[in-house]
Amino acid sequence: MKHRYPSEQLEVEVTGLSEKGLGLAEYRFPDTELGKGRKLKLQIPKALPGDKLLVTVPNARGRRRATRTYDRIIEPSPSRNGGYELNGPQVGGAPLEYMNYPDQLAYKRALTQGFLADQGFDPTVVGEVWGMDDPYHYRNKLELSFSIDGDLGFFVQGDQYQIVDWQKNILAPEIFMTLKEEVQAWQKAWGLAGYEKQSKQGLLRQLLLRQGQHSGEVMVAIFAQEKTADLDPDAIQDLIQRLQAYPEINSLMWIKNTAIADRMGADKVEVLAGRDYIRDELAGFNYRLYFDTFFQPNPTQAQKMIDLACDWAELDADSLVIDLFCGVGSFSLPLAKRAKALVGIEIVEQSIESAKRNARDNGITNAHFIARDARHGLAEIEEEWGQADLLLLDPPRNGAGGKIMRRIGRMGLDKIIYVSCNPKSLAADLVWLRDFGYEIMKFQLIDQFPHTQHVESVVLLEKK
């Protein structure tokens, strides 16, 4: 049995940030019999380079690494914007909220440059990050969870069972907080139980809030273990009356979800008021947003990404374009409008149906969408078209992977635009294209997620 040492309160200085936005510090124990030559590496939420902190660590001398919230700031970092003491358990979502915004942008640039340098690329291709004029309340979607104790909020970092009630959020529109409090007041008024994951007991599971940034339309969806027919009809009518007092709400839904996994699945969708979707606009195109539609969470910055990709594409009336991982067509429609023809490839059939509908709604007749995995979809289009003039890919956070990138490299296209939400997987993917003779011509970072560690990249590659 390993010996357990007592908790110790350590004084440390934060020297950097991890790729997840956690403060990094190292403590070297005095050269004693209990801790001879021992170092402890710490990851500290909401801590910034230059912070001097007090941190309590259980079994401090018996471990090499620990993630701990700080007790107190002894001396704040010059990058700190005034946020200091932490109260209660921490939730994810905005790890950089206490960091001055220009310093956030510098961190994201340096992080991206480091990933590129690790893969042998010239880091100086990465210029200044395009930030936001007003980097607050930009998210158009929020997912909250009900707890068995009546809290409605987010899971604690590192704990998939404990929920912290949402009291404020610098990322979400203010209407979301108002609606959250209305739903929570309704829940308490009728004594409805939240869902407990361990026992799989309780009624209410999640609350989804969604808003069209351009349209202003709001969606409210409650996910529960039972359908409304199994509940007190007066409770459901009260919910409808409470929320119909908000003219912004164009979609109010009750969704039965009995999935074991903690996800927003749907056994049955009931529209209590309005429609089962809301509308929004992006890059001059209209979109229908259903509860499970993936849509850019920050349309202001997404507009910049789309404009940049269209500018770099330099399409004309004879251009043939492939949009790989096309989703619901956010890049497809603007590119198709400038080209002879476009094919979007996406493995999720639901997204493909949405992309087709979005093309019809916007009068785009030269965009075609197929539900295929990436490699087979590329082979099918290459066989039908020959060589396209442009391939744009916007893969999920873990990147496209070597097999797909090699498949793209063998196609021999003159021009590729890679849109990425993860600079680490982006750098790994670009290695494969380098082996096929592609060079990075332009590289632009766009801050789509202020106050988080995430950053978007748009990269233009050409074959030499």
Side-chain angles (χ1 to χ4, degrees), residues 28 88 118 139 149 164 191 246 265 267 283 293 309 321 337 344 379 432 440:
R28 182 184 292 275
D118 290 344
R139 280 199 70 94
D149 301 319
V164 175
Y246 300 91
D267 301 344
T293 300
V321 181
K337 191 174 182 179
W432 300 106
I440 298 174

Side-chain angles (χ1 to χ4, degrees), residues 47-169:
L48 306 177
D51 278 339
K52 293 182 180 178
L53 310 169
L54 282 178
V55 183
T56 298
V57 183
N59 189 30
R61 297 175 188 250
R63 59 205 308 178
R64 299 288 185 181
R65 289 177 171 80
T67 299
R68 302 295 300 172
T69 301
Y70 61 78
D71 304 330
R72 181 168 64 84
I73 297 176
I74 301 170
E75 183 179 324
S77 163
S79 298
R80 200 164 268 277
N81 62 17
Y84 293 98
E85 304 308 324
L86 299 178
N87 298 309
Q90 294 300 299
V91 300
L96 306 182
E97 65 177 312
Y98 297 146
M99 193 178 203
N100 294 326
Y101 191 51
D103 293 320
Q104 292 183 31
L105 300 181
Y107 155 70
K108 295 180 182 188
R109 181 188 184 192
L111 191 69
T112 304
Q113 288 177 321
F115 289 136
L116 288 175
D118 290 344
Q119 299 291 351
F121 293 102
D122 178 6
T124 63
V125 299
V126 183
E128 298 296 324
V129 186
W130 289 358
M132 295 187 72
D133 295 333
D134 181 14
Y136 298 94
H137 308 296
Y138 58 83
R139 280 199 70 94
N140 58 10
K141 181 181 176 184
L142 198 68
E143 300 175 0
L144 305 173
S145 295
F146 293 90
S147 80
I148 197 73
D149 301 319
D151 291 328
L152 180 54
F154 305 100
F155 286 102
V156 174
Q157 279 183 317
D159 188 335
Q160 60 175 323
Y161 298 111
Q162 185 182 356
I163 293 173
V164 175
D165 196 76
W166 176 36
Q167 298 299 320
K168 64 176 182 176
N169 189 291

